[in-house]
């Protein structure tokens, strides 16, 4: 009945953990916006989409609690296979108690697997009947037996009959009666017996692959993952941080023997192995757009581990781990979503997880948005380093710094800064001056300051780092220039546009002498200059830079590379500022489609594109679409980065602003109040985003004629703006807002005092180059004209 369903999901339900991991993996396999779905989002998918079939396989555990994993909907179809009779109570009319295959069904399955004709009269083939009865009519065992007979018959003369197989089975079953096999029931014994017989015919190299595969997740083992690991020599980084013990050298030797034959390409060796496994029905290959994927039946997968002597378990686990770790480098981002199920399996055995591999997994999980598990690994890494080397060691400092990056990604800036400072202090005390580890920690600290809005601290630290790198390398290398580019962005955020532009142009010129024209680092610096122009309202220059960069990036990296998608998004942002809505929307539509398909909804670039798409909808008057997308966007930010991340805070502010524009004032005040609490705690009281949120709240209260709250909100805003900006147009605008509220609330004296202050400020600002100055003057004149009316009304 497969054609009846749009989507069919097979889920290993042997345990709650395998069920959750498999269901999440199944939904992620849809790609696009589901590419990084959490488990709860996987259940949400089933609740909001129709036309699916969900198969929970081997749900035998009485403590599974399957009811929790069944969507409460009236659409969709679920099949549960189980030997737990109590699950039949889930539905009174739609369950079947299935015994073994009937003799006729069993013979048909056996003969089909053996590629022989099924005799019409079963009495003519007593041997087939005996074999079916011997295997208890179990489908998996019968397929194994039939496949074995077919495979052996194709390579030997005379034909290998069912009678020959019966003789082998009797010997194997005698071995399974050994007391050490007492944990297997009759079902397990029959299946294991047929699998053991097939195992004896596998080439040694195929057996080794089977044992290693037993330590991956049982499904979606990508051949591309294996070939990529070979290309990287099974290393996560060119220089590994910690020396591995002898056992890992044995694992690497085993991987080389298995996957790097001297006279054959890796992919050809893999095809030989897959053919061998497939001929005995031990694996099911499927195709994805980028690779062949291998899927093992869960019973075959677990049986493969039982064939190993205890002393070999660690060896093959290490081999599998190094394959996955060898694919964790940030440049292999396309492969990373397929690694997640395997990493989850391997982390469970963290007692034999090497610190190099733990760090590789932590970085990948962080980049994929699995912050909870990345944080757990980071803390385990610190505990390991302290246990091995003590509190005062450079390795411990590096581990603390790596955990801090996880906090930065979540927007937990205070925790990140505390950890960076601690790590930097340790590293500076223990290592030689300006050790690369120390400088990396400090560079990450500077970036976190910038994200938090602590621009003075970021500026000071970037300047210090630039000087230290200059001394360390005897001049200016690419990394030094990149830091100078970051400093230019800080200048831009501080409003120092001349310094920012001058420094950015210097960086680009200097890098052009070192790097090729289309090098990613140089393209990134050009993009920074475009952003600076955009922030300084120099839209024409910004557009020129982004238009020049796009064809260079596409020519070298293709249209689906993150750099290409980011370039299209930045050009669209520039067009939005010029209200060229149609051109911007065309770029954003293509970019959003590509980003969702390639990187998933939770990718930072996808999130930025969605934000610009919201602006496009609002700019073209499609307010309902804009609001709906903004609400989805906020939920996405919360689920991806958490409630305290900068992206989430910005999304809260933007949605509250949209509510104000649409006169949904109660919603605006509720959301903006929440946003203000989080922004003050995460970004600080004087951060730009905090001040913008206060201003938004003041505007909403003013429209609602809630003069008391409007007055207190604008008063707080004015105090903070004076402290941050000093005499400025920004402060002048807020004085006028507060003056207007005072007049509306009949607080005449306060209103007049504020207007007097605004006139004094106008004199101070004469000749100022702020583009908002004319508007301030115009608003001040308007307010002065309103004074007579206000006076007569009050008198």
């Amino acid at each position: 009945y497969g054609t009846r369903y749009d989507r069919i999901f097979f889920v290993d339900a042997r345990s709650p953990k395998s069920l959750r991991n498999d269901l999440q993996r199944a939904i992620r396999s849809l790609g696009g916006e589901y590419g990084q779905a959490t488990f709860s989002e996987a259940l949400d998918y089933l609740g909001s989409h129709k036309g699916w079939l969900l198969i929970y396989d081997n749900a035998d555990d009485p403590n599974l609690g399957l009811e929790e994993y069944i969507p409460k909907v009236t659409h969709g179809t679920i099949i549960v296979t189980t030997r737990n009779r109590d699950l039949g109570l889930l539905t009174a009319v739609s369950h079947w108690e299935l015994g073994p295959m009937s003799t006729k069904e069993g013979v048909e399955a056996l003969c089909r697997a053996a590629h022989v004709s099924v005799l019409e009269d079963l009495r003519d083939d007593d041997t087939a009947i005996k074999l079916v009865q011997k295997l208890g009519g179990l489908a998996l065992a019968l397929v194994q037996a039939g496949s074995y007979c077919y495979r052996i018959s194709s390579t030997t003369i005379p034909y290998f009959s069912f009678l020959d197989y019966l003789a082998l089975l009797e010997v194997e079953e005698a071995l399974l009666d050994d007391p050490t096999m007492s944990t297997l029931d009759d079902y397990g014994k029959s299946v294991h017996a047929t699998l053991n017989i097939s195992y004896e015919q596998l080439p040694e190299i195929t057996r080794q692959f089977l044992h290693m595969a037993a330590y991956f997740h049982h499904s979606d083992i990508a051949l591309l993952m294996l070939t990529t690991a070979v290309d990287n020599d099974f290393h996560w980084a060119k220089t590994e941080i910690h020396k591995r013990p002898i056992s890992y050298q044995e694992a690497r030797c085993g991987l080389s023997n298995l996957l790097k034959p001297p006279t054959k390409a890796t992919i050809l060796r893999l095809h030989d192995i897959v053919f061998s496994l497939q001929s005995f029905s031990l694996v099911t290959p499927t195709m994805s757009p980028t690779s062949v994927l291998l899927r093992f039946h869960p019973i075959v997968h677990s049986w493969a581990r039982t064939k190993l002597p205890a002393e070999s378990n660690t060896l093959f686990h290490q081999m599998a781990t190094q394959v996955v770790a060898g694919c964790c480098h940030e440049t292999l981002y396309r492969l990373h979503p397929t690694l997640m199920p395997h990493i989850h399996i391997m982390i469970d055995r963290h007692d034999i997880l090497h610190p190099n591999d733990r760090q590789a997994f932590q970085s990948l999980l962080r980049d994929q948005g699995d912050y909870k598990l990345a944080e757990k690994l980071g803390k385990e890494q610190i505990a390991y380093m302290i246990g091995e080397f003590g509190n005062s060691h450079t390795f411990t400092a590096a581990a603390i710094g790596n955990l801090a990056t996880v906090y930065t990604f979540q927007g937990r800036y205070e925790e990140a800064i505390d950890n960076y400072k601690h790590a930097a202090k340790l590293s500076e005390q223990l290592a030689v001056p300006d050790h690369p580890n120390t400088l990396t920690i400090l560079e990450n600290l500077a970036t976190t300051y910038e994200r938090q809005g602590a621009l003075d601290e970021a500026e000071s630290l970037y300047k210090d780092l630039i000087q230290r790198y200059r001394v360390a390398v005897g001049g200016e290398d690419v990394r030094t220039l990149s830091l100078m580019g970051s400093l230019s962005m800080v200048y831009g955020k501080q409003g120092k546009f001349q310094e920012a532009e001058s420094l950015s142009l210097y960086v680009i010129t200097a890098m052009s002498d070192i790097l090729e024209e289309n090098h990613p680092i140089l393209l990134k610096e050009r993009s920074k200059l475009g952003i600076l122009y955009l922030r300084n309202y120099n839209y024409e220059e910004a557009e020129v830079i982004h238009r020049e960069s796009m064809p260079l990036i596409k020519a070298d990296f293709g249209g689906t590379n993150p750099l290409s998608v980011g370039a299209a998004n930045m050009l669209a942002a520039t067009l939005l500022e010029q209200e060229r809505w149609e051109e911007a929307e065309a770029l954003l539509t293509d970019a959003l489609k590509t980003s969702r398909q390639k990187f998933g909804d939770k990718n930072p670039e996808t999130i930025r594109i969605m934000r610009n798409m919201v602006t496009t909808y609002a700019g073209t008057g499609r307010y309902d679409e804009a609001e709906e997308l903004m609400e989805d966007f906020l939920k996405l930010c919360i689920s991806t980065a958490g409630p305290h991340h900068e992206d989430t805070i910005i999304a809260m502010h933007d949605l509250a602003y949209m509510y104000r524009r649409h006169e949904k004032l109660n919603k605006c005040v509720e959301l903006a109040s929440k946003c203000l609490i989080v922004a003050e705690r995460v970004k600080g009281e004087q951060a730009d985003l905090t001040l913008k949120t206060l201003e938004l709240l003041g505007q909403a209260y003013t429209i609602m004629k809630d003069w008391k709250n409007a007055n207190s909100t604008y008063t707080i805003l004015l105090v903070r703006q004076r402290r941050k900006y000093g005499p400025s147009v920004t402060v002048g605008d807020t004085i006028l807002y507060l003056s207007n509220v005072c007049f509306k609330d009949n607080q005449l004296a306060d209103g007049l005092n504020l207007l007097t202050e605004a006139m004094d400020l106008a004199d101070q600002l004469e000749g100022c180059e702020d583009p908002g100055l004319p508007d301030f003057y115009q608003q001040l004149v308007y307010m002065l004209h309103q004074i007579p009316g206000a006076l007569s009304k009050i008198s």
Side-chain angles (χ1 to χ4, degrees):
Y1 301 98
T3 56
R4 292 186 180 182
Y5 303 100
D6 298 326
R7 306 284 185 189
I8 301 177
F9 305 114
F10 286 88
V11 174
D12 177 8
R14 285 179 295 172
S15 69
K17 185 165 187 177
S18 67
L19 187 153
R20 294 173 71 91
N21 287 343
D22 245 24
L23 182 57
Q24 179 176 291
R25 177 199 57 78
I27 300 302
R28 285 184 173 186
S29 70
L30 299 176
E33 61 185 298
Y34 309 108
Q36 298 180 57
T38 63
F39 173 73
S40 60
E41 289 168 341
L43 283 180
D44 289 344
Y45 172 89
L46 298 175
S48 59
H49 290 73
K50 298 181 179 181
W52 48 261
L53 168 64
L54 175 62
I55 301 172
Y56 283 138
D57 195 22
N58 294 320
D60 302 332
D61 186 351
N63 298 316
L64 181 62
L66 190 62
E67 298 91 336
E68 179 185 346
Y69 307 110
I70 296 179
K72 305 300 187 288
V73 293
T74 56
H75 59 263
T77 302
I78 300 176
I79 295 175
V80 180
T81 68
T82 178
R83 286 183 284 170
N84 177 6
R85 288 175 176 269
D86 291 343
L87 287 183
L89 300 175
L90 287 174
T91 173
V93 295
S94 299
H95 71 273
W96 291 269
E97 187 167 334
L98 302 176
M101 284 184 167
S102 68
T103 301
K104 182 177 181 181
E105 291 169 336
V107 170
E108 288 177 351
L110 178 67
C111 292
R112 190 178 299 114
H115 292 237
V116 297
S117 300
V118 180
L119 299 176
E120 290 295 330
D121 188 350
L122 294 181
R123 290 173 299 179
D124 290 343
D125 198 343
D126 292 336
T127 308
I129 296 172
K130 287 179 182 178
L131 184 53
V132 170
Q133 293 171 344
K134 188 74 174 175
L135 294 174
L138 299 172
L140 183 57
L142 291 169
V143 169
Q144 280 297 308
S147 297
Y148 182 94
C149 292
Y150 174 70
R151 174 64 174 157
I152 300 303
S153 296
S154 64
T155 58
T156 62
I157 299 175
Y159 171 78
F160 192 88
S161 67
F162 294 152
L163 183 60
D164 296 324
Y165 193 88
L166 269 171
L168 286 176
L169 189 59
E170 288 175 0
V171 173
E172 189 60 42
E173 285 193 328
L175 295 175
L176 289 173
D177 285 334
D178 186 281
T180 59
M181 299 292 181
S182 59
T183 55
L184 295 174
D185 57 15
D186 290 340
Y187 176 86
K189 285 182 178 180
S190 295
V191 173
H192 275 235
T194 57
L195 291 171
N196 288 345
I197 291 171
S198 296
Y199 181 83
E200 294 303 320
Q201 293 299 319
L202 294 176
E204 180 58 29
I205 205 74
T206 304
R207 293 182 188 181
Q208 291 180 24
F209 181 86
L210 185 64
H211 296 320
M212 181 181 71
Y215 291 96
F216 295 121
H217 190 272
H218 66 85
S219 61
D220 292 352
I221 301 173
L223 296 193
L224 180 60
M225 174 181 72
L226 298 161
T227 57
T228 301
V230 170
D231 292 340
N232 290 335
D233 198 25
F234 313 109
H235 285 290
W236 167 50
K238 290 181 179 178
T239 304
E240 294 202 309
I241 302 169
H242 310 287
K243 187 176 180 180
R244 294 181 183 267
I246 296 297
S247 62
Y248 276 89
Q249 300 308 317
E250 294 174 5
R252 187 150 293 160
C253 237
L255 284 168
S256 295
N257 292 335
L258 177 60
L259 299 174
K260 295 174 70 175
T263 59
K264 184 179 286 189
T266 297
I267 193 65
L268 296 179
R269 165 61 66 84
L270 287 169
H271 285 168
D272 291 344
I273 291 171
V274 172
F275 175 78
S276 179
L277 290 169
Q278 194 177 8
S279 65
F280 288 99
S281 297
L282 292 171
V283 72
T284 304
T286 59
M287 287 296 299
S288 76
T290 57
S291 179
V292 175
L293 304 176
L294 305 182
R295 187 180 193 278
F296 290 90
H297 190 286
I299 293 177
V300 175
H301 191 249
S302 60
W303 158 82
R305 284 198 295 273
T306 68
K307 295 298 294 179
L308 278 171
E311 61 271 17
S312 297
N313 282 327
T314 298
L315 173 65
F316 283 98
H317 184 274
Q318 289 174 346
M319 288 170 63
T321 301
Q322 288 188 66
V323 166
V324 176
C327 299
C328 286
H329 194 272
E330 59 185 9
T331 58
L332 304 172
Y333 59 89
R334 289 181 180 174
L335 193 55
H336 287 173
T338 68
L339 303 182
M340 295 289 280
H342 308 304
I343 289 176
H344 285 140
I345 293 290
M346 292 167 181
I347 285 174
D348 288 342
R349 298 196 63 188
H350 62 81
D351 54 315
I352 60 171
L353 200 60
H354 192 272
N356 291 341
D357 301 327
R358 189 185 290 115
Q359 184 176 335
F361 292 168
Q362 179 192 346
S363 298
L364 186 143
L365 290 165
R366 178 200 65 200
D367 293 343
Q368 289 293 307
D370 195 339
Y371 301 127
K372 185 176 180 180
L373 194 50
E375 182 178 346
K376 176 177 179 289
L377 284 188
K379 290 178 177 178
E380 287 176 1
Q381 187 83 327
I382 293 172
Y384 173 86
M385 294 305 170
I386 292 174
E388 288 289 314
F389 307 106
N391 285 294
S392 299
H393 196 280
T394 52
F395 288 167
T396 305
I400 294 170
N402 288 331
L403 177 60
T405 65
V406 179
Y407 293 145
T408 298
F409 270 63
Q410 295 177 80
R412 294 160 61 181
Y413 297 127
E414 293 299 333
E415 293 171 87
I417 288 170
D418 288 344
N419 276 270
Y420 282 133
K421 287 181 176 178
H422 179 42
K425 184 178 179 180
L426 266 181
S427 188
E428 287 179 321
Q429 288 173 349
L430 299 167
V432 296
D434 297 333
H435 188 277
N437 285 351
T438 306
L439 296 179
T440 298
I441 292 167
L442 290 173
E443 190 176 335
N444 288 333
L445 174 58
T447 302
T448 305
Y449 278 142
E450 183 183 349
R451 290 188 179 185
Q452 189 191 36
L455 299 178
D456 292 341
E457 290 87 345
E459 178 188 356
S460 175
L461 188 49
Y462 276 133
K463 286 180 176 178
D464 179 56
L465 283 167
I466 289 166
Q467 185 58 34
R468 292 168 75 167
Y469 271 113
R470 279 174 174 159
V471 172
V473 302
E476 291 175 352
D477 63 355
V478 171
R479 190 162 188 179
T480 310
L481 291 167
S482 293
L483 284 168
M484 294 168 72
S486 297
L487 178 60
S488 74
M489 296 300 289
V490 173
Y491 285 154
K493 291 179 180 179
Q494 291 173 320
K496 304 174 184 177
F497 291 112
Q498 288 185 348
E499 294 99 317
E501 180 184 5
S502 176
L503 184 57
S504 183
L505 287 169
Y506 173 80
V507 168
I508 292 170
T509 302
M511 277 193 177
S512 298
D513 295 335
I514 303 173
L515 302 173
E516 295 179 358
E517 184 184 22
N518 56 352
H519 193 284
I521 295 176
L522 181 54
L523 292 171
K524 186 176 181 181
E525 293 304 323
R526 285 180 177 146
S527 178
K528 287 180 182 178
L529 179 59
I531 294 170
L532 288 172
Y533 284 142
L534 184 62
R535 284 180 175 158
N536 198 29
Y537 312 105
N538 191 345
Y539 304 131
E540 291 183 3
E541 292 287 352
E543 183 178 347
V544 168
I545 286 176
H546 293 309
R547 287 199 184 278
E548 287 177 350
S549 297
M550 276 188 65
L552 290 173
I553 295 171
K554 283 190 175 182
D556 220 50
F557 301 99
T560 60
N561 185 275
L563 283 172
S564 303
V565 175
N569 188 36
M570 286 310 306
L571 176 57
T574 307
L575 296 172
L576 289 176
E577 292 293 340
Q578 301 173 71
E579 299 186 0
R580 291 157 64 181
W581 310 114
E582 291 184 2
E583 293 175 75
E585 184 171 358
L587 282 168
L588 290 170
T589 300
D590 290 341
L592 185 58
K593 180 180 179 182
T594 300
S595 197
R596 276 178 161 167
Q597 288 177 345
K598 293 294 181 181
F599 320 123
D601 261 8
K602 297 183 179 180
N603 181 272
E605 196 60 57
T606 307
I607 289 172
R608 285 188 282 268
I609 297 168
M610 288 179 70
R611 183 182 294 142
N612 284 333
M613 187 64 87
V614 170
T615 304
T616 305
Y617 287 155
T620 53
R622 292 139 67 188
Y623 299 118
D624 291 340
E625 290 179 72
E627 185 177 310
E628 184 180 348
L629 183 59
M630 195 67 224
E631 288 172 342
D632 291 342
F633 176 66
L634 176 57
K635 291 176 185 176
L636 181 62
C637 288
I638 293 172
S639 67
T640 304
H644 300 137
H645 194 277
E646 182 178 20
D647 287 338
T648 305
I649 302 171
I650 292 172
M652 292 172 72
H653 170 274
D654 290 351
L655 180 57
Y657 174 79
M658 202 167 286
Y659 286 149
R660 198 217 74 188
R661 285 281 303 270
H662 300 168
E663 298 185 0
K664 298 179 179 180
L665 299 175
N666 289 329
K667 278 189 170 185
C668 171
V669 168
E670 181 183 0
L671 186 57
S673 299
K674 291 178 182 177
C675 179
L676 180 62
I677 293 171
V678 180
E680 287 178 334
R681 185 166 63 187
V682 175
K683 305 286 287 181
E685 289 187 348
Q686 295 187 62
D688 289 343
L689 187 55
T690 307
L691 299 180
K692 284 174 64 179
T693 306
L694 269 170
E695 183 179 355
L696 176 62
L697 263 176
Q699 292 169 350
Y701 285 135
T702 301
I703 298 170
M704 296 168 74
K705 300 182 180 180
D706 184 347
W707 309 122
K708 180 180 179 181
N709 278 319
N711 191 315
S712 63
T713 302
Y714 277 129
T715 300
I716 294 170
L717 177 62
L718 184 56
V719 169
R720 294 181 183 179
Q721 286 179 336
R722 282 171 174 157
R723 195 182 307 147
K724 180 169 183 176
Y725 302 119
S728 62
V729 172
T730 301
V731 170
D733 288 339
T734 303
I735 292 173
L736 294 179
Y737 291 147
L738 183 54
S739 172
N740 178 57
V741 170
C742 289
F743 283 129
K744 297 289 186 184
D745 197 27
N746 295 333
Q747 298 180 33
L748 177 61
D750 290 341
L752 289 174
N753 287 336
L754 287 164
L755 273 182
T756 302
E757 183 182 350
M759 287 188 287
D760 292 340
L761 181 60
D763 292 337
Q764 294 180 55
L765 295 176
E766 188 173 354
C768 169
E769 295 182 1
D770 191 312
L773 186 60
D775 289 338
F776 169 63
Y777 283 153
Q778 184 177 353
Q779 187 63 25
L780 176 58
V781 171
Y782 173 79
M783 288 292 296
L784 291 170
H785 278 294
Q786 300 305 307
I787 290 177
L791 288 172
S792 63
K793 179 180 178 183
I794 292 168
S795 61

